[in-house]
Amino acid sequence: MSIQHPRDSAQHPDQPRPPQQPVGGSIIDAQGREIPITEDMIQRACRELENSCVQRRPR
């Protein structure tokens, strides 16, 4: 007996999603609205974090 896995992209995280497709979470804005988190939002946050870490490194 073999294990079979679905072939959709949800089971294959190495396959990129379209940039504006929600990735499974949300944030709540100041007005209480639920805003889906997109891949683009995550990438932007990672770049900002990386830049802030680079600026703080001692030389």
Side-chain angles (χ1 to χ4, degrees), residues 1-58:
M1 177 183 261
S2 65
I3 299 174
Q4 297 199 359
H5 299 283
R7 295 184 183 259
D8 63 37
S9 62
Q11 296 296 320
H12 300 283
D14 56 328
Q15 294 176 353
R17 295 173 180 253
Q20 296 305 315
Q21 181 177 358
V23 293
S26 298
I27 59 172
I28 306 298
D29 70 7
Q31 288 74 38
R33 295 176 297 204
E34 188 173 356
I35 310 295
I37 298 171
T38 64
E39 179 72 19
D40 185 53
M41 294 165 77
I42 294 170
Q43 292 296 328
R44 189 174 345 134
C46 289
R47 281 192 304 273
E48 290 174 11
L49 179 60
E50 173 97 10
N51 290 338
S52 71
C53 291
V54 169
Q55 293 172 359
R56 293 182 187 167
R57 287 186 188 149

